[in-house]
Amino acid sequence: MRILHVADTHLGHRRWNLPEREKDLYDVFDEVADIAIEEKADLVLHAGDMFDKSDPPPQTYIRTYEILKKLKDKNIGFYVVAGNHEVPGTIKDSPLSFFEKIGLLKIL
């Protein structure tokens, strides 16, 4: 079994309030997906802080959807351990729950 492990992607974070820094994080997350596909990973394990905060901006949902969908289309599972950044109080209020509900990831 091939597992690609990643953590602390902090999607939605805009370092120094610069849009290009936010884009950098999406680009790297997309590169992780490309590597998983290229290396024929069976699953990706994200070990916390996938999102920078529990209420990411709309563009974060859009880019995350596009990237996770690419993995799903290649039958690569995406499993995530919730981090302290994306859980406001309960996991059901986390953006992770949205992506689990639409079948793009599984929260461990």
Side-chain angles (χ1 to χ4, degrees):
M1 175 173 269
R2 289 179 166 239
I3 299 172
L4 188 149
H5 174 258
V6 65
D8 295 294
T9 52
H10 291 276
L11 299 174
H13 181 65
R14 188 176 278 204
R15 183 117 172 133
W16 303 299
N17 204 28
L18 296 171
E20 54 270 20
R21 296 294 73 90
E22 182 179 357
K23 181 184 177 304
D24 289 343
L25 295 174
Y26 302 133
D27 290 346
V28 169
F29 191 55
D30 195 30
E31 185 177 352
V32 166
D34 289 341
I35 291 168
I37 293 166
E38 180 180 313
E39 295 295 326
K40 296 178 176 47
D42 295 298
L43 65 94
V44 175
L45 174 62
H46 195 295
D49 293 338
M50 182 168 160
F51 297 100
D52 191 57
K53 54 187 179 177
S54 62
D55 61 342
Q59 68 268 18
T60 301
Y61 281 90
I62 293 166
R63 290 293 291 136
T64 302
Y65 172 83
E66 292 168 346
I67 296 163
L68 292 178
K69 178 79 167 75
K70 182 167 49 170
L71 289 170
K72 184 176 179 80
D73 289 347
K74 296 292 186 179
N75 294 315
I76 298 172
F78 193 90
Y79 296 83
V80 62
V81 176
N84 64 312
H85 280 254
E86 66 250 335
V87 180
T90 65
I91 194 68
K92 71 179 180 74
D93 297 323
S94 168
L96 296 173
S97 292
F98 168 77
F99 290 102
E100 185 173 51
K101 285 178 186 170
I102 63 171
L104 292 179
L105 63 77
K106 177 71 177 149
I107 301 169
L108 299 175

